[in-house]
Amino acid sequence: MVTSNRSRVVIVGTGSVGSAVASAIVQQGLCNELVIVGHHPNKAQGLAMDLADGLEFLGRFVTIRAGGWEDCRHADVVIVAAGPKPKPGETRMQELDAAIDIVDPILRRVRDSGFDGILIMVSNPVDVLGWFAWKRTWLPRAQVFGSGAALDTARLKTIIGETTRLDPRLVSGYVIGEHGDSQFVPWSTVSFIGKSFAQYLADNRSRYPGVTLAGIEESTRRRGLDIKGLRGGTSYGIAATVAGLVRTILWNERSVVSVSTLIDGEYEYGEHDVFLSLPVALDGSGVGDFVDLHLSDEELVKFHASAEVVRRHCSLIADRLRGHRL
């Protein structure tokens, strides 16, 4: 549980994502102290100075500084946002080899610092690296999760909002599974202004010719790649998402969010030892109870297929854990 007398967030990574996450946290005044750790200390120092220069015009003072691994020891939240620079057309899973070479040493240092807070993995492929982080750090399962499909859920709502020209915050529902090509929308969970979104579309077919659930789902799935193709990478959407997760933890908001967490026999899902996104209660203690979505048989097939994709890629890096306590 986050204590009331301190509030320290450590961000590891000073690239476009780490920098955007740091900015979002500072802009929203979410913590007392933000510490930036990077492979290049000068870059971390420059980012801290740049962010601090805008504090006069923000709503809350936040101490911002560059730091080291020792700062993780007393952090409430550590965010790992380091990774290889995205390559055009390359999927998240194709980044795994380069990503694990960067992330594994980071996780060792976080672990060795004595950190006992909540670890949020942002680096892709986030489900695979979330599983690896849980194994590597030895932290309790509630204290390790990945940003996962929280961003994809926000993208789904954005696309529905753009389609209907209404506020996307009117949408209730989740994207689940892998944060990647096998993610899917259990449409039975998606509601909009008092009815299922499927029923809303059926009731307003003449207003939305050509709009289908499958088309919206595919647009959601491809949105990250589309953004990468247009501007070279994504940063602001994930930054807002991670800031929202940090706020939920530090402010103990008790939200329900679709994040990538350990699935190990819960409810109907029938999966074990794999990180996937499902709606879970999130608060100052980390990941809490799962929301049982009562998936249809067809949706369960998709969920198991998504689990197999993640599990297969976890097996590719499992050898790095051999010879170390699990």
Side-chain angles (χ1 to χ4, degrees), residues 273-289:
D273 194 29
V274 65
F275 267 56
L276 291 169
S277 287
L278 282 171
V280 294
L282 189 65
D283 60 20
S285 298
V287 174
D289 292 336

Side-chain angles (χ1 to χ4, degrees), residues 25 41 119 159 215 268 293 300:
I25 289 172
L119 177 64
I159 290 167
E268 63 188 0
L293 295 175
L300 277 173

Side-chain angles (χ1 to χ4, degrees), residues 247-259:
R247 183 182 66 240
T248 295
I249 293 166
L250 294 182
W251 297 3
N252 198 33
E253 289 185 334
R254 303 177 62 81
S255 297
V256 174
V257 193
S258 186
V259 294

Side-chain angles (χ1 to χ4, degrees), residues 200-210:
Y200 175 84
L201 271 187
D203 292 345
N204 297 276
R205 178 50 57 199
S206 62
R207 296 176 60 189
Y208 308 113

Side-chain angles (χ1 to χ4, degrees), residues 122-158:
V122 181
S123 308
N124 278 317
V126 70
D127 306 290
V128 179
L129 294 180
W131 172 86
F132 188 87
W134 173 60
K135 297 279 190 178
R136 175 60 80 208
T137 61
W138 316 330
L139 287 167
R141 59 181 292 178
Q143 293 172 223
V144 182
F145 68 90
S147 52
L151 175 58
D152 302 299
T153 297
R155 286 169 171 165
L156 170 69
K157 295 178 180 182
T158 296

Side-chain angles (χ1 to χ4, degrees), residues 88-107:
E90 190 172 62
T91 68
R92 300 176 184 96
M93 287 301 188
Q94 289 169 334
E95 298 170 359
L96 178 57
D97 285 343
I100 194 64
D101 286 339
I102 294 171
V103 170
D104 190 12
I106 289 171
L107 295 172

Side-chain angles (χ1 to χ4, degrees), residues 176-231:
I176 65 173
E178 176 206 1
H179 176 56
D181 292 342
S182 68
Q183 69 177 236
F184 68 99
V185 181
W187 285 105
S188 58
T189 72
V190 181
S191 62
F192 187 62
I193 56 175
K195 63 179 75 175
S196 73
F197 185 69
Q199 187 63 58
Y200 175 84
L201 271 187
D203 292 345
N204 297 276
R205 178 50 57 199
S206 62
R207 296 176 60 189
Y208 308 113
V211 175
T212 64
L213 299 182
I216 291 174
E217 187 168 350
E218 180 60 19
S219 294
T220 302
R221 184 179 295 112
R222 287 200 52 82
R223 193 168 177 99
L225 286 175
D226 290 343
I227 294 170
K228 284 173 66 174
L230 291 167
R231 63 178 296 260

